[in-house]
């Protein structure tokens, strides 16, 4: 297999070795994130001056209408956007690292569609109430990921160093599950009215209850992954090398995957499947933060949050007074980015003719 | 017709100019008989129950009540025929693409072909609602072809096989499906509902008119099967081997892709996108009887027809208890079959 110039770009091993981790990006990202939160809160159908926003955060006055908007609508929305962006981006970074494939992302590997399918399925056949929404989506995320791995195993493609079977299986599983979910929703009008907006991915302040239900899953994921980061970085160098360096490859991988899928499923359970972030953010961050996971994870989390916050602003402002679904914008961008990534990684000279 | 032992010590059958290994012919006959039997069962079951002799009597035009006639001829028979033909076409497209991409996971849906056809129909419904229904297959075909051609443009003609086109297909599929999501979200509720109906695979709207309309494409797919079979046979040996055997891969691969997009689009215009059959049917057919070239396509196609027929039967039988869309019943029937065949293959290998 001729990897040629591609190896330098995608192989985390080379970069991790050459540059080491770069923790210095984190404070910059943190500042940028804070700025984006303020921006996100300030913009909207009614622009709120920055001073007012900060005042609302620091010294809340319940008789002030602007303060009310900030605390009940804008801030929850910004928090949801940040949470979702962070979870999906970190999960994407891990999946891309472990599968050694630049196309891996939670949306593609069945997590999102599995979660959607479960929520719709249980809602349709057993009328599972909204309170269980999070748990069902969580189980569904697992189910989706598991069926995608199963299909990839079953196909048994012989020479597959970059886990392409997983990518293809993921695409098929996602399509099939999304199709079933939308067929089921179609047969039940009230369910459709209730779920269509969530199913297509929507960042919205009235999902804040769900965020309070699941935020700790996301935080837990980040914590677990950060603890495992050094070992995971070694695993990306090759499982033999990692084992030789004293890493328990299987338990660490399983643990990390469990955490990542849980985090992504939590994100989906809050506001539905959102594309782009999980796929693209790791690509944006890797050249700057290096491929060492202990810098990559936090940087991805922050940049993922920033990307969704900005997309949310765009979705609200561009077509004002209409508010676009943030996710529609993002999945369109995600599709285009996917084309670019395929072009760059699989159609460069010397790589194209691979089986 | 004669039976002889080939150079590889396998029994072969020759019928006119066509030659195939005996086990393939047996498998084909077996699957055909199974399909016919399933069709009989499918005709018999429903809100009006018939037994085997009733089915024969009604179908052969014997004396029958008005209700029986309506059930068999207006409702069940067209649905069975449409199901079989669509399954046939999808499985054939899947098997073709798998040889082309040299990957067992290739699928018409995966390449964005169905999505392109679907989006073309949806855009027409939204922006040109005056266009009458009979033109939809043509529009769908334009959509499917547009996707096929743009895929070729994106990856370059020489990469028409292999992994690049599969990945690019996923990319195009993602982009297109986000556009159709937009249509779904931002059209008025009534219209959105109509669009969503198109987006979901269903055999509910099968009529004789549709059978006749799709019959042409079914026939065309049979012809294509014979034409394409040999090339695929060569591609299965690998690109370099194909070229050294004199296969003009630089144009025959794009041509095959175009054929696959056309027949997929035709099926989408009839029943909407149906995922999974394209992978499942060739795989199952292969585990029944290994074959190459045209016989592989033929076996896969019959298996596809059988799959959709049985999935639709399950949908219809369960309809009084619970609504199971055809996508779900395909997974319910297909996933265990898939896993079982893999287990059996593993056991056979272990021996």
């Amino acid at each position: 297999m001729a990897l040629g110039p591609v190896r330098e770009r995608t192989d985390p091993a080379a970069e991790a070795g050459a540059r080491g981790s770069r923790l210095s990006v984190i404070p910059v990202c943190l500042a940028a994130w804070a700025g984006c939160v303020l921006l996100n809160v300030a913009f909207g159908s009614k622009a709120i001056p920055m001073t007012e926003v900060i005042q609302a955060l620091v010294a809340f006055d319940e008789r002030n209408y602007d303060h009310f908007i900030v605390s009940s609508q804008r801030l929850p929305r910004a928090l949801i956007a940040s949470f979702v962006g962070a979870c999906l981006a970190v999960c994407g970074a891990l999946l891309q690292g472990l599968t050694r494939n630049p196309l891996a992302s939670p949306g593609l590997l069945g997590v999102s569609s599995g979660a959607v399918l479960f929520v719709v399925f249980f809602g349709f056949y057993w009328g599972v109430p909204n309170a269980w929404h999070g748990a069902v989506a969580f189980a569904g995320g697992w189910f989706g990921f598991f069926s995608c791995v199963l299909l990839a195993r079953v196909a048994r493609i012989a020479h597959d160093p970059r886990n392409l079977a997983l990518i293809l299986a993921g695409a098929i599983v996602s399509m099939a599950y999304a199709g079933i979910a939308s067929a089921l929703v179609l047969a039940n009008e009230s369910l459709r009215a209730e779920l269509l907006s969530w199913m297509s991915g929507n960042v919205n302040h009235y999902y804040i209850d769900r965020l309070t239900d699941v935020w700790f899953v996301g935080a837990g994921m980040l914590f677990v992954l950060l603890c495992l980061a050094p070992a995971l970085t070694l695993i990306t160098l090759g499982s033999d090398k990692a084992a030789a360096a004293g890493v328990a490859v299987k338990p660490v991988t399983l643990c990390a995957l469990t955490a990542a899928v849980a985090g992504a499923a939590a994100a989906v359970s809050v506001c539905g499947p959102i594309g782009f972030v999980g796929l693209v953010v790791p690509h944006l961050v890797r050249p700057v933060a290096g491929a060492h996971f202990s810098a990559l994870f936090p940087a991805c989390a922050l940049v993922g949050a920033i990307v969704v916050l900005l997309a949310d602003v765009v979705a609200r402002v561009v077509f004002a007074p209409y508010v676009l679904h943030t996710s529609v914008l993002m999945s369109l961008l995600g599709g285009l980015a996917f084309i670019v990534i395929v072009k760059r990684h699989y159609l460069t000279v010397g790589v194209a003719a691979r089986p | 017709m004669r039976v002889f032992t080939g150079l590889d010590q396998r029994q072969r059958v020759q019928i006119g100019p066509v030659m195939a290994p005996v086990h393939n012919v047996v498998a084909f006959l077996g699957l055909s008989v199974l399909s016919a039997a399933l069709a009989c069962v499918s005709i018999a079951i429903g809100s009006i129950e018939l037994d085997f002799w009733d089915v024969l009597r009604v179908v052969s035009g014997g004396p029958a009540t008005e209700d029986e006639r309506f059930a068999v001829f207006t409702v069940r028979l067209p649905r069975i025929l449409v199901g079989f033909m669509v399954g046939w076409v999808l499985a054939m497209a899947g098997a073709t693409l798998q040889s082309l991409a040299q990957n067992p996971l290739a699928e018409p849906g995966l390449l964005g072909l169905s999505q392109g056809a679907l989006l073309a129909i949806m855009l027409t419904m939204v922006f040109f609602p005056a266009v009458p229904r009979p033109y939809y297959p043509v529009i769908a075909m334009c959509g499917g072809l547009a996707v096929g051609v743009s895929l070729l443009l994106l990856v370059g003609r020489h990469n028409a096989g292999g992994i690049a086109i599969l990945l690019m297909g996923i990319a195009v599929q993602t982009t297109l499906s986000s556009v159709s999501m937009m249509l779904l979200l931002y059209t008025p509720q009534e219209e959105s509902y109509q669009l969503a109906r198109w987006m979901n695979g269903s055999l509910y709207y099968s009529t004789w008119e549709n059978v006749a309309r799709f019959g042409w494409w079914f026939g065309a797919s049979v012809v294509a099967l014979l034409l394409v079979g040999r090339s695929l046979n060569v591609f299965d040996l690998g690109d370099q081997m194909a070229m050294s055997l004199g296969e003009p891969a630089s144009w025959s691969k794009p041509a095959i892709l175009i054929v696959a997009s056309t027949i997929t689009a035709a099926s989408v215009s009839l029943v909407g996108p149906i995922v999974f059959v394209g992978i499942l049917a060739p795989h199952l057919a292969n585990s029944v009887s290994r074959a190459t070239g045209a016989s592989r396509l033929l076996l896969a196609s019959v298996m596809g027809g059988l799959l959709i027929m049985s999935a639709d039967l399950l949908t219809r039988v369960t309809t009084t208890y619970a609504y199971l869309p055809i996508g779900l019943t395909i997974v319910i029937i297909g996933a265990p079959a898939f896993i079982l065949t893999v287990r059996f293959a593993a056991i056979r290998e272990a021996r």
Side-chain angles (χ1 to χ4, degrees):
Chain A
M1 191 178 82
L3 276 174
V6 174
R7 168 152 247 152
E8 282 169 24
R9 209 182 293 133
T10 57
D11 196 345
E15 291 196 6
R19 302 181 194 168
S21 68
R22 295 179 180 177
L23 288 165
S24 53
V25 262
I26 310 293
V28 181
C29 291
L30 207 57
W33 172 69
C36 284
V37 170
L38 289 182
L39 193 73
N40 188 292
V41 172
F43 270 102
S45 52
K46 180 182 187 302
I48 299 173
M50 230 16 130
T51 48
E52 202 76 2
V53 171
I54 294 172
Q55 223 165 38
L57 296 179
V58 184
F60 181 70
D61 176 9
E62 60 185 26
R63 278 161 304 171
N64 187 327
Y65 185 59
D66 282 351
H67 287 201
F68 180 72
I69 293 183
V70 168
S71 75
S72 69
Q73 293 190 4
R74 301 277 173 84
L75 197 60
R77 195 166 169 139
L79 285 178
I80 288 176
S82 305
F83 175 78
V84 171
C87 284
L88 292 176
V90 169
C91 182
L94 178 81
L95 290 176
Q96 286 177 11
L98 285 184
T99 59
R100 294 185 190 82
N101 193 305
L103 297 171
S105 73
L108 191 62
L109 294 186
V111 179
S112 306
S113 56
V116 171
L117 176 67
F118 260 46
V119 168
V120 171
F121 191 88
F122 283 95
F124 185 83
Y125 288 114
W126 290 291
V128 173
N130 262 342
W132 287 81
H133 193 99
V136 172
F138 186 71
W142 259 107
F143 175 75
F145 185 68
F146 187 69
S147 32
C148 150
V149 172
L150 190 71
L151 183 58
R153 280 274 170 84
V154 159
R156 287 193 305 176
I157 295 175
H159 180 70
D160 192 19
R162 297 182 132 206
N163 286 304
L164 278 166
L166 201 60
I167 301 291
L168 299 181
I172 294 158
V173 165
S174 304
M175 261 166 60
Y177 287 176
I180 296 172
S182 63
L184 285 178
V185 157
L186 193 62
N188 185 335
E189 203 129 353
S190 65
L191 198 68
R192 181 173 146 92
E194 188 184 325
L195 285 180
L196 185 66
S197 169
W198 173 79
M199 273 174 73
S200 51
N202 189 10
V203 175
N204 206 315
H205 62 266
Y206 49 70
Y207 293 142
I208 188 68
D209 295 346
R210 295 183 186 165
L211 183 65
T212 52
D213 286 346
V214 299
W215 68 269
F216 60 89
V217 179
M221 166 188 80
L222 204 56
F223 177 72
V224 170
L225 288 185
L226 276 177
C227 291
L228 294 175
L232 286 169
T233 313
L234 280 173
I235 290 176
T236 58
L237 295 171
S239 45
D240 298 350
K241 284 182 193 162
V247 176
V249 175
K250 254 206 169 143
V252 169
T253 315
L254 266 182
C255 214
L257 277 179
T258 312
V261 172
V268 175
S269 79
V270 173
C271 58
I274 288 192
F276 187 75
V277 203
L279 173 69
V280 179
V281 168
H283 286 277
L284 294 178
V285 173
R286 212 175 283 121
V288 185
H292 197 296
F293 280 137
S294 42
L296 189 61
F297 284 146
C300 272
L302 290 170
V303 175
I306 291 170
V307 166
V308 180
L309 283 171
L310 288 181
D312 189 42
V313 172
V314 172
R316 269 184 301 171
V317 173
V318 173
F319 291 96
Y322 300 104
V323 178
L324 208 62
H325 277 59
T326 315
S327 72
V328 169
L329 193 70
M330 305 208 64
S331 56
L332 187 61
L333 287 178
L336 298 176
F338 203 106
I339 295 182
V340 173
I341 296 172
V342 173
K343 270 258 181 213
R344 274 178 59 169
H345 288 275
Y346 288 93
L347 289 170
T348 18
V349 181
V351 203
R354 286 189 303 114
Chain B
M1 177 178 146
R2 68 190 183 98
V3 180
F4 64 98
T5 309
L7 290 175
D8 54 352
Q9 304 302 315
R10 292 249 180 89
Q11 296 276 309
R12 281 164 201 277
V13 187
Q14 186 169 24
I15 306 160
V18 186
M19 193 171 65
V22 168
H23 64 100
N24 285 354
V25 177
V26 172
F28 174 69
L29 292 177
L31 285 178
S32 308
V33 170
L34 206 58
S35 302
L38 196 71
C40 282
V41 174
S42 196
I43 290 175
I45 294 179
S47 55
I48 300 173
E49 299 277 348
L50 304 169
D51 65 21
F52 180 70
W53 300 112
D54 287 335
V55 172
L56 277 191
R57 174 170 53 84
V58 178
V59 171
S60 63
T65 64
E66 196 61 31
D67 287 348
E68 282 175 345
R69 257 178 217 289
F70 179 79
V72 171
F73 286 110
T74 315
V75 181
R76 296 178 197 171
L77 209 49
R79 192 162 167 159
I80 291 165
L81 284 174
V82 166
F84 184 80
M85 291 197 293
V86 165
W88 170 289
V89 160
L90 284 177
M92 196 188 127
T96 317
L97 292 174
Q98 283 159 23
S99 287
L100 201 66
Q102 288 168 28
N103 196 311
L105 289 175
E107 225 245 8
L110 202 58
L111 283 172
L113 300 178
S114 341
Q115 194 62 247
L118 187 71
L119 189 61
I121 293 180
M122 288 172 77
L123 285 174
T124 315
M125 287 174 78
V126 172
F127 293 108
F128 308 99
V131 175
R133 273 283 163 91
Y135 289 108
Y136 280 11
V138 184
I139 292 162
M141 226 162 284
C142 293
L145 273 180
V147 169
V149 171
S150 41
L151 274 179
L152 284 174
L153 290 178
L154 276 171
V155 299
R157 199 163 51 114
H158 299 285
N159 294 322
I163 194 72
I165 199 161
L166 279 184
L167 296 176
M168 198 52 94
I170 298 177
V172 170
Q173 196 262 333
T174 324
T175 316
L176 293 181
S177 72
S178 75
V179 177
S180 44
M181 200 73 210
M182 256 183 228
L183 288 180
L184 214 56
L185 278 173
Y186 299 120
T187 45
Q189 192 158 13
E190 194 60 24
E191 206 169 353
S192 156
Y193 194 71
Q194 287 291 330
L195 291 178
R197 275 219 214 158
W198 266 97
M199 270 182 73
N200 295 309
S202 167
L203 295 175
Y204 189 75
Y205 301 99
S206 312
T207 58
W208 282 110
E209 214 183 356
N210 285 338
V211 173
R213 218 178 279 153
F214 196 67
W216 289 103
W217 291 104
F218 181 67
S221 79
V222 176
V223 176
L225 181 146
L226 294 174
L227 292 178
V228 164
R230 203 199 80 88
S231 300
L232 290 184
N233 219 348
V234 179
F235 288 139
D236 283 338
L237 299 172
D239 271 353
Q240 305 203 324
M241 193 63 160
M243 263 186 253
S244 51
L245 281 170
E247 177 65 29
S250 61
W251 69 264
S252 69
K253 278 192 175 183
I256 292 172
L257 186 67
I258 297 297
V259 169
S261 6
T262 319
I263 56 177
T264 308
S267 81
V268 169
S269 75
L270 200 56
V271 298
I274 294 182
V275 195
F276 216 42
V277 179
I279 304 175
L280 205 55
H283 180 88
L284 293 182
N286 194 40
S287 71
V288 170
S289 152
R290 270 175 200 283
T292 52
S295 17
R296 174 167 166 272
L297 289 187
L298 193 65
L299 285 178
S301 305
V302 181
M303 186 59 95
L306 196 59
L307 258 178
I308 298 248
M309 259 166 47
S310 42
D312 187 48
L313 182 62
L314 187 59
T315 302
R316 272 184 33 202
V317 169
T318 51
T319 190
T320 43
Y321 314 106
Y323 167 72
L324 302 177
I326 186 131
L328 186 56
T329 47
I330 288 173
V331 173
I332 290 174
I333 291 175
F338 206 36
I339 293 167
L340 273 183
T341 55
V342 171
R343 288 309 304 165
F344 280 136
I347 291 168
R348 220 180 295 157
E349 257 172 42
R351 277 211 192 126

